[in-house]
Amino acid sequence: MSFFDTHLLNLVVYLPLLFAALVWMLPGAERGQIRTITFIGMMVDLVFGVWAYLRFDPAGAEFQLEYRTRWLDQLGVSYHIGADGLAISLLLLTVFLGPLVVMASQTYITERVKEFHLALLVLQTVMLGALVSLDVLLFYIFWEAMLIPMYLLVGVWGAEDRQMAAVKFFLYTLAGSLLMLVAIVAIYFISSTPGNRSFDYATIFNSLSTANSQIAACTGTGGDCSTLPGMAGILYRWGPWLFAAFAIAFAIKVPMWPVHTWLPDAHVQAPVAGSMILAGVMLKMGTFGFWRFAIPFFPSATHQARPLLATLAVIGIVYGALMCLAQRDIKKLIAYSSVSHLGYCMLGILALTAEGATGSAYQMLNHGVSTGALFLLFGFLYERRHTRLMSDYGGIAKVVPVFTTAFLIITFSSVAVPGTNGFVGEFLVLLGTFKSSLGLGFGALATLGVILGAAYMLWMVQKVFFGPLTHRENQGLTDLNLREFATVAPFLVLVLVMGLMPQPFLDRINPSTERFLQRAELGIPGSQVRPSDVQISVMGLPPAGLAAAPNAPTPGPLADRR
């Protein structure tokens, strides 16, 4: 790798922080300069993020653009980042949303403008850092750091009940995070011996893979697995509990039913920027966590819990859709639609088929585009009318035809009309679910969610945009201005590009899907997958905590691959 490739992800992750330092030095009264510098920072980050996405070679190594250097050797902590196909795709989504969030907030945020844009830039850095972390403790640090700026976005710049929603979001996420921290510390001690312990993702996974293979072999023969020696015995006894700790943390972030109740409140109270980031990126941290950590680390426990988790995913799909039909608040309806749509992402992961997993990954991107755009467009409408109730609208398509057209296109994406991005993801998830061993009932109920999704979205569009113009206040509504249209247009383009030409995106996702499925299969009783088939090869450093050989050169971040 070139020097630039090795440092490219660092550039993408920390550029927003650099621009945050510039914003911090500006006087708070210089609102125009603050917005401009923040926007420029997000645009520059977008350029390097696209560059990183294009530099990723689907036919190359699993993790690319790696950088690794020593950090806390005595604890086995290294600063190690890199991206696989899923991470680089979510990174692209994150940098894509960055400048659009700034543009969407230009007139919405008028108080504490400096602090607001600082929170946006810091949040951008920690979200990107979590996606590319290849050290489990480093991931946890970025994961926890996301709480603070998002708490501020909701609690300071939100609506009337913002403090309640912010505290609820913080407590739910913190509770899950603390459980995950306990599990991280436990696998740190389980996966290696004193003097060789490490938080490195590859080191932990490679150590656990042999034990997971032994557990699968034992359960396949029907033997007494409680007598397994060493790491396999420990993992057999404690693996389900450790998996549960990871799963609860990630399920809260998704959010899965029944730990979803913080999400509608957070979405309703958050400013438009907060809702876009929350729907676009932060919810995907939960599905990403299942894909990257919970399932590969504990494949045997995954197969034990799979029917339960798939049931919760399907309940979330149907429950979220039914709750949408019961809403009269437009923003709360869009919020509950996230519960339903993220249920498809989880179901696709748990199907453990190539179509299901690929569809899940693609649906993560689709949801960020379609639901992020819905929150954006409603934010523009809310700025004009300052009401969230459907009953306060009606017939406004006659007054704002451009706005209505944009909203309809995004609605078609959300309900998975063929030709839009949403169709590709949901079709693959449903196909993968029907082909899986979960049973036809899961696929049938998930299909019911598609029908209900079309019902609640089209019902909402009918109530808000069509029919007679019954409220005099709506007669003076203005259509999208140039700034607003420039903010919405990229979403409209992506809806069509991802719907009509999905293959370039799927090409980067597919290799990650294949490896994910192999690692999940390692836990199937009697599995024929060998630990050597699923080992992770990354940039090499001597095990942390071990002294280097006398007079040996100290490897740096550009060490050769193993």
Side-chain angles (χ1 to χ4, degrees):
M1 289 190 299
S2 68
F3 179 86
F4 184 76
D5 282 345
T6 308
H7 291 77
L8 182 54
L9 286 183
N10 276 322
L11 196 59
V12 175
V13 171
Y14 294 108
L15 260 175
L17 208 58
L18 174 62
F19 280 87
L22 296 177
V23 169
W24 179 74
M25 291 187 287
L26 289 173
E30 297 291 345
R31 297 180 178 182
Q33 291 187 38
I34 289 169
R35 291 189 177 101
T36 300
I37 289 178
T38 304
F39 178 73
I40 291 173
M42 293 293 196
M43 282 299 296
V44 173
D45 204 38
L46 172 61
V47 170
F48 284 107
V50 171
W51 195 338
Y53 184 78
L54 296 176
R55 292 291 295 168
F56 185 89
D57 179 10
E62 177 178 5
F63 292 102
Q64 300 177 32
L65 306 175
E66 282 184 71
Y67 177 87
R68 182 177 181 181
T69 190
R70 289 187 172 88
W71 187 15
L72 302 172
D73 269 1
Q74 297 305 313
L75 296 177
V77 183
S78 64
Y79 177 81
H80 188 188
I81 61 174
D84 64 354
L86 178 61
I88 203 70
S89 300
L90 292 174
L91 179 144
L92 180 67
L93 173 64
T94 306
V95 296
F96 165 78
L97 288 174
L100 301 179
V101 165
V102 178
M103 292 175 68
S105 307
Q106 185 169 334
T107 56
Y108 193 90
I109 301 298
T110 57
E111 301 292 332
R112 299 183 178 179
V113 174
K114 177 179 177 178
E115 291 82 359
F116 175 82
H117 288 86
L118 283 172
L120 286 183
L121 290 164
V122 172
L123 183 56
Q124 187 82 343
T125 285
V126 295
M127 289 190 302
L128 292 167
L131 290 173
V132 300
S133 293
L134 291 180
D135 182 280
V136 182
L137 190 61
L138 181 66
F139 167 80
Y140 181 79
I141 291 170
F142 281 121
W143 170 278
E144 282 289 77
M146 283 187 281
L147 278 177
I148 299 172
M150 180 52 74
Y151 171 83
L152 294 174
L153 288 177
V154 177
V156 177
W157 293 279
E160 58 276 0
D161 293 326
R162 58 187 179 272
Q163 293 182 355
M164 175 275 295
V167 169
K168 194 172 182 180
F169 157 75
F170 191 90
L171 292 178
Y172 264 77
T173 309
L174 181 64
S177 298
L178 292 176
L179 286 174
M180 181 169 63
L181 178 61
V182 172
I184 288 173
V185 173
I187 61 172
Y188 168 76
F189 284 103
I190 291 172
S191 62
S192 53
T193 57
N196 292 305
R197 291 192 171 115
S198 173
F199 284 102
D200 186 78
Y201 174 74
T203 302
I204 290 176
F205 174 82
N206 292 341
S207 297
L208 295 178
S209 61
T210 301
N212 282 314
S213 178
Q214 292 172 348
I215 293 172
C218 178
T219 53
T221 59
D224 181 10
C225 300
S226 61
T227 61
L228 284 171
M231 189 189 305
I234 297 172
L235 200 60
Y236 179 77
R237 288 191 294 273
W238 295 102
W241 294 100
L242 299 178
F243 172 77
F246 274 97
I248 290 171
F250 297 139
I252 289 172
K253 188 74 86 176
V254 170
M256 294 181 70
W257 185 90
V259 288
H260 68 284
T261 57
W262 64 269
L263 180 66
D265 291 329
H267 266 316
V268 168
Q269 300 303 322
V272 61
S275 292
M276 289 174 67
I277 294 171
L278 195 57
V281 182
M282 287 192 68
L283 302 186
K284 314 309 180 304
M285 295 296 175
T287 50
F288 175 77
F290 274 102
W291 183 298
R292 174 60 57 82
F293 298 100
I295 294 175
F297 281 175
F298 310 104
S300 294
T302 297
H303 284 276
Q304 294 174 30
R306 183 175 168 228
L308 172 62
L309 290 173
T311 300
L312 295 180
V314 168
I315 291 174
I317 291 170
V318 178
Y319 167 84
L322 292 175
M323 287 299 294
C324 287
L325 286 171
Q327 298 308 311
R328 299 299 179 267
D329 183 314
I330 300 171
K331 204 172 184 186
K332 188 168 284 190
L333 183 151
I334 300 172
Y336 273 109
S337 76
S338 288
V339 177
S340 186
H341 287 143
L342 268 297
Y344 286 104
C345 293
M346 284 304 305
L347 186 61
I349 291 174
L350 295 165
L352 297 182
T353 58
E355 296 86 355
T358 300
S360 171
Y362 204 63
Q363 194 65 4
M364 294 181 209
L365 305 179
N366 293 335
H367 180 263
V369 173
S370 59
T371 307
L374 286 174
F375 279 118
L376 170 68
L377 285 165
F378 179 72
F380 290 154
L381 191 58
Y382 183 80
E383 282 189 67
R384 290 159 167 77
R385 284 286 280 112
H386 297 286
T387 177
R388 298 191 299 263
L389 298 178
M390 292 183 207
S391 58
D392 291 329
Y393 297 96
I396 65 172
K398 305 177 181 70
V399 183
V400 286
V402 177
F403 183 97
T404 303
T405 302
F407 203 97
L408 276 173
I409 293 172
I410 299 301
T411 298
F412 292 154
S413 165
S414 184
V415 302
V417 170
T420 65
N421 58 335
F423 174 77
V424 179
E426 285 194 9
F427 175 77
L428 287 173
V429 167
L430 292 174
L431 179 63
T433 302
F434 278 115
K435 290 180 66 175
S436 75
S437 59
L438 287 173
L440 292 178
F442 288 92
L445 287 172
T447 304
L448 175 62
V450 175
I451 300 170
L452 293 174
Y456 67 72
M457 286 301 298
L458 295 177
W459 169 69
M460 184 262 288
V461 167
Q462 173 65 33
K463 294 279 290 183
V464 173
F465 293 98
F466 298 104
L469 189 62
T470 54
H471 294 276
R472 183 177 300 174
E473 299 89 340
N474 294 327
Q475 294 175 358
L477 291 178
T478 57
D479 215 335
L480 293 176
N481 58 40
L482 184 60
R483 172 187 63 86
E484 292 169 337
F485 184 76
T487 309
V488 174
F491 288 102
L492 303 178
V493 171
L494 268 187
V495 163
L496 298 176
V497 170
M498 294 179 69
L500 298 174
M501 296 185 294
Q503 200 58 50
F505 300 94
L506 295 176
D507 284 342
R508 283 171 171 76
I509 293 171
N510 284 332
S512 295
T513 297
E514 294 169 5
R515 294 183 178 103
F516 166 75
L517 293 175
Q518 265 197 316
R519 287 162 189 162
E521 190 180 341
L522 188 66
I524 297 177
S527 170
Q528 300 302 308
V529 177
R530 298 170 299 176
S532 58
D533 296 333
V534 295
Q535 294 282 294
I536 298 174
S537 178
V538 294
M539 297 177 70
L541 284 179
L546 294 183
N551 303 319
T554 302
L558 300 180
D560 293 333
R561 292 180 180 273
R562 285 199 291 268

